[in-house]
């Protein structure tokens, strides 16, 4: 039993006429008769009786018409939903994003995507960079938005934005007036993001480039929150390295001071698995971010 046979049967049953059903379906009379005969043969039931020059449904035929209509209706609904997904009128977009990206950079992009595709439901999971990369590798996430250049040989990575890291201290910290020499970096307490975060990874890379072992720093606090870090530095004696987007307002208000330090710019990247096919919503979102995406072919 196929959907094509069910459509033919329903057309015949609703018109009680082979020729009219064939004309409606743009098929030959023999093709229509053959489909009906195949269905009756499969179930060893008669669906039609010939009464003179016309046909009418048998009790089995009336029951089968009810079921056929139900199946055909569900098939039409499925077809419409797939067209809605393909046309971005329905569906969902699930992203995993790092703390800095999710809090400061991503919201404007989500609003732009929502304005373009109001039928798409948005879901964002926030985690650190290392966990996001692991989630994309395992298939838990289709798209991950992370900071920095975490080694991910199994993943495809596209740069979608640039970011700047800043060394910040409270206004009464000695470094606010006299930037430290490289050898002085270990002489201040530090507040750092947790291991595995993009900010922590990029800062440690920068320290290595300066010839400083991150283990030599006096880390008084590790915290998985940019805001908590900024508040701890603002109200204490420690130093921290944070994204410019996190501390720009506090610097402008005079609550924090940016200390000159040779910190390289970092990149925001979109991660995806090269062997997993993207949905239309995921493809459209990456395109909105400016990531080069090859449209999936069925």
């Amino acid at each position: 039993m196929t959907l094509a046979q069910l459509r033919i049967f329903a057309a015949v049953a609703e018109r009680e006429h082979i020729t009219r059903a064939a004309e409606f379906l743009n098929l030959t009379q023999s093709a229509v008769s053959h489909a009906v005969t195949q269905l009756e043969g499969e179930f060893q039931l008669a669906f039609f009786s010939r009464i003179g020059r016309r046909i009418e449904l048998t009790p089995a035929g009336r029951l089968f018409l009810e079921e056929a209509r139900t199946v055909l209706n569900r098939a039409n609904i499925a077809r419409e939903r797939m067209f809605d997904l393909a046309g971005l009128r329905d569906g969902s977009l699930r992203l995993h994003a790092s703390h800095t990206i999710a809090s400061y950079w991503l919201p404007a992009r989500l609003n732009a995507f929502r304005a373009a595709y109001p039928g798409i439901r948005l879901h964002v999971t926030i985690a650190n960079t290392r966990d996001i990369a692991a989630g994309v590798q395992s298939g838990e996430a289709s798209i991950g938005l992370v900071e920095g250049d975490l080694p991910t040989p199994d993943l495809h990575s596209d740069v979608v934005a640039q970011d700047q890291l800043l060394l910040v201290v409270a206004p009464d910290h000695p470094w606010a007036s006299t930037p430290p020499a490289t050898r002085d970096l270990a002489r201040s307490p530090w507040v750092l993001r947790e291991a595995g975060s993009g900010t922590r990874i990029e800062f440690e890379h920068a320290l290595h480039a300066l010839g400083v072992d991150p283990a030599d720093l006096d880390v008084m606090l590790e915290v998985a929150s940019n805001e908590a870090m900024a508040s701890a530095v603002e109200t204490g004696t420690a130093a921290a390295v944070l994204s410019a987007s996190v501390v720009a307002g506090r610097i402008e208000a005079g609550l924090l001071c940016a200390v000159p330090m040779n910190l390289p710019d970092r990149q925001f990247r979109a991660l995806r698995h090269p062997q997993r096919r993207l949905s239309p919503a995921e493809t459209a979102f990456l395109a909105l971010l400016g990531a080069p995406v090859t449209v999936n072919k069925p």
Side-chain angles (χ1 to χ4, degrees), residues 3 7 69-83:
L3 284 176
R7 291 190 181 98
R69 283 171 171 166
T70 299
V71 172
L72 292 171
N73 182 56
R74 289 305 308 172
N76 286 334
I77 291 173
R79 184 172 183 271
E80 290 170 4
R81 292 197 66 185
M82 293 307 101
F83 278 124

Side-chain angles (χ1 to χ4, degrees), residues 60 99 131 207 265 298:
H99 290 264
D131 290 341
L207 289 175
D265 289 345

Side-chain angles (χ1 to χ4, degrees), residues 201-271:
I201 291 169
E202 288 296 304
F203 178 45
E204 290 182 348
H205 286 168
L207 289 175
H208 284 301
L210 293 171
V212 177
D213 186 345
D216 291 339
L217 297 188
D218 176 15
V219 181
M220 59 168 281
L221 176 64
E222 289 186 356
V223 62
S225 165
N226 293 317
E227 292 296 326
M229 281 182 66
S231 295
V233 173
E234 178 186 317
T235 57
T237 61
V241 167
L242 284 163
S243 168
S245 58
V246 174
V247 296
R250 282 180 159 91
I251 292 173
E252 184 177 353
L255 301 174
L256 291 174
C257 292
V259 179
M261 183 179 178
N262 186 22
L263 293 171
D265 289 345
R266 66 173 176 173
Q267 299 167 328
F268 290 166
R269 293 177 172 270
L271 302 180

Side-chain angles (χ1 to χ4, degrees), residues 277-278 280 283 292-298:
R277 300 181 65 173
L278 296 172
T283 300
V293 180
T294 300
V295 177
N296 290 323
K297 297 292 184 181

Side-chain angles (χ1 to χ4, degrees), residues 162-231:
Q162 299 289 332
D163 185 39
Q164 182 183 10
L165 289 176
L166 295 177
L167 169 59
V168 293
V169 295
D172 58 355
H173 192 286
W175 293 354
S177 56
T178 306
T182 300
R183 63 180 181 275
D184 296 326
L185 292 177
R187 296 180 182 175
S188 172
W190 286 83
V191 177
L192 299 180
R193 281 288 304 275
E194 80 285 5
S197 75
T199 299
R200 176 73 171 265
I201 291 169
E202 288 296 304
F203 178 45
E204 290 182 348
H205 286 168
L207 289 175
H208 284 301
L210 293 171
V212 177
D213 186 345
D216 291 339
L217 297 188
D218 176 15
V219 181
M220 59 168 281
L221 176 64
E222 289 186 356
V223 62
S225 165
N226 293 317
E227 292 296 326
M229 281 182 66
S231 295

Side-chain angles (χ1 to χ4, degrees), residues 54-66:
R54 66 183 181 85
I55 61 174
E56 66 179 30
L57 286 166
T58 65
R62 286 193 293 272
L63 177 61
F64 192 58
L65 179 60
E66 292 180 14

Side-chain angles (χ1 to χ4, degrees), residues 85-86 88 142-143 156 272-287 292-298:
L85 287 175
L88 294 169
S142 296
I143 298 175
H156 187 90
R272 54 191 173 90
H273 198 289
Q275 295 177 326
R276 292 195 177 95
R277 300 181 65 173
L278 296 172
S279 71
E282 291 161 349
T283 300
F285 184 72
L286 287 173
V293 180
T294 300
V295 177
N296 290 323
K297 297 292 184 181

